[in-house]
């Protein structure tokens, strides 16, 4: 992988999807989704499908078309960060599921990013960019 340079964070949030929830979209930005509880299926337009469960991440590259859905009996609570990178790079060329080994640490770091993004104190963008670089480092270590 070539050098990854982040341009900006577009948004970061925590979200709870109810059982049976589905959402069809084309990702306009790169995204990292970390599952706090439940599970969800990412169905890509090329026919590939990935289930992500508690303690797992999925990296979704920019321009990925997919349907995201929960099972009928279980919801999906997760944290998401969407961002832009310089050039055509990214963590991986296709949506990639990553099992995080140090789940408690990773969840704390990701939660910190979402918190700082939500509170928007002075210099929150700079703080969040630093945290996102740490998240990417932790994920690349797992790949």
């Amino acid at each position: 992988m070539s050098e990854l340079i982040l341009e900006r964070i577009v948004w970061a949030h925590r979200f709870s999807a109810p059982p049976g929830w589905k959402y069809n979209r084309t990702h306009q930005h790169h995204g990292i989704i970390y599952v706090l509880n439940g599970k969800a299926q990412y169905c890509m337009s090329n026919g590939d499908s990935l289930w992500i469960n508690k303690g797992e991440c999925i990296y979704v590259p920019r321009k990925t078309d997919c349907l995201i859905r929960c099972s009928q009996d279980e919801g999906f609570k997760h944290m998401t960060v969407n961002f832009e990178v310089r050039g055509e790079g990214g963590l991986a060329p296709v949506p990639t599921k990553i099992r995080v080994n140090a789940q408690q640490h990773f969840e704390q770091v990701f939660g910190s990013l979402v918190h700082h993004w939500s509170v928007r104190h002075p210099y929150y963008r700079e703080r969040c960019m630093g945290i996102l670089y740490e998240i990417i480092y932790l994920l690349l270590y797992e790949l």
Side-chain angles (χ1 to χ4, degrees):
M1 180 177 95
S2 62
E3 185 176 45
L4 181 67
I5 300 173
L6 300 175
E7 289 286 332
R8 70 183 184 106
I9 296 173
V10 178
W11 69 329
H13 73 279
R14 192 179 301 253
F15 181 73
S16 293
W21 175 84
K22 58 179 138 178
Y23 183 58
N24 196 0
R25 71 174 293 198
T26 298
H27 289 260
Q28 300 300 317
H29 310 282
H30 298 272
I32 298 170
I33 299 94
Y34 177 73
V35 181
L36 297 165
N37 284 308
K39 61 183 176 181
Q41 183 180 27
Y42 279 70
C43 304
M44 276 53 80
S45 60
N46 67 0
D48 290 345
S49 175
L50 294 170
W51 278 97
I52 56 171
N53 303 291
K54 181 179 178 174
E56 295 177 332
C57 275
I58 186 170
Y59 164 71
V60 181
R62 186 171 77 87
K63 299 182 182 177
T64 300
D65 294 321
C66 66
L67 170 68
I68 308 156
R69 64 180 171 201
C70 299
S71 67
Q72 292 297 323
D73 59 332
E74 186 175 21
F76 171 52
K77 184 176 181 183
H78 65 280
M79 294 184 284
T80 299
V81 60
N82 289 326
F83 56 96
E84 294 179 358
V85 301
R86 183 174 299 162
E88 294 299 316
L91 274 74
V94 297
T96 304
K97 179 169 125 173
I98 305 163
R99 178 81 182 157
V100 178
N101 288 317
Q103 289 180 14
Q104 184 176 6
H105 175 68
F106 189 84
E107 191 171 317
Q108 287 173 342
V109 172
F110 211 128
S112 176
L113 185 149
V114 171
H115 169 76
H116 289 293
W117 186 262
S118 300
V119 172
R120 300 195 176 216
H121 59 74
Y123 308 107
Y124 76 96
R125 289 185 185 275
E126 292 80 2
R127 178 72 174 120
C128 290
M129 288 290 280
I131 297 169
L132 180 54
Y133 271 114
E134 182 177 357
I135 288 170
I136 289 170
Y137 165 79
L138 293 169
L139 292 177
L140 290 174
Y141 185 78
E142 300 291 344
L143 288 176

